[in-house]
Amino acid sequence: MSTIYKEIILDASPEQVWGAVSDVGAVHHRLVPGYTENTLMDGHERTLILPNGGMVRELIVSVDASERRMAYAVKEGRMPLLHHHASFQVFPHDGGGARLVWITDFLPEHLAPEIEARVNRGAEVMKETIEAEAKGGDR
């Protein structure tokens, strides 16, 4: 199994970052606008509607406010995944602001370059979006 570990340092409070991460039905507004056009919720299932007409169905596994941790698993999408599980966890950052840790485990391993590229781009968009919201503006 492959793992991608990504840390994002944000100029926003841990509470602000957790607010965006834990709002699982607003991915298209609060985390990755433009990357995701809409988010549909049906119980613990989340469907991300993508700009190119695609979609990704996910299972929200856990939203733990006391640990500021949210975990999800991809159930269906364009990529031929055998397994996918990811989590976000928010920590205070020593220099101020917050540290968002995004860990993704997946199979098959040969998808690592494509998944890593998506994680890196997603992290950039999340940083821009969360910091803009924290400053009271729009992206």
Side-chain angles (χ1 to χ4, degrees):
M1 186 164 342
S2 288
T3 299
I4 296 171
Y5 181 92
K6 183 73 176 179
E7 285 193 19
I8 309 162
I9 305 303
L10 296 142
D11 186 15
S13 72
E15 294 79 15
Q16 290 168 318
V17 177
W18 174 244
V21 169
S22 64
D23 194 355
V24 296
V27 173
H28 60 296
H29 289 302
R30 300 196 65 195
L31 285 183
V32 287
Y35 232 52
T36 303
E37 284 189 351
N38 199 4
T39 307
L40 308 173
M41 294 298 299
D42 183 10
H44 293 285
E45 187 173 284
R46 172 170 75 183
T47 302
L48 305 177
I49 306 301
L50 308 177
N52 61 7
M55 66 87 175
V56 177
R57 282 187 338 134
E58 300 173 332
L59 179 64
I60 303 300
V61 177
S62 175
V63 179
D64 183 343
S66 66
E67 295 294 326
R68 290 190 190 121
R69 182 177 179 275
M70 190 279 282
Y72 67 99
V74 172
K75 295 173 60 174
E76 178 185 349
R78 287 188 332 215
M79 295 183 76
L81 292 165
L82 299 174
H83 173 83
H84 176 280
H85 180 271
S87 65
F88 290 104
Q89 192 162 8
V90 181
F91 301 95
H93 184 256
D94 293 338
R99 180 171 56 100
L100 177 59
V101 176
W102 185 5
I103 301 172
T104 305
D105 299 316
F106 60 91
L107 284 172
E109 294 176 359
H110 75 269
L111 294 174
E114 183 175 352
I115 293 174
E116 187 168 21
R118 289 178 184 209
V119 165
N120 288 337
R121 180 63 186 134
E124 291 172 5
V125 175
M126 281 181 219
K127 180 173 175 63
E128 293 171 14
T129 303
I130 293 170
E131 288 180 344
E133 180 179 300
K135 289 181 175 76
D138 291 327
R139 215 175 75 97

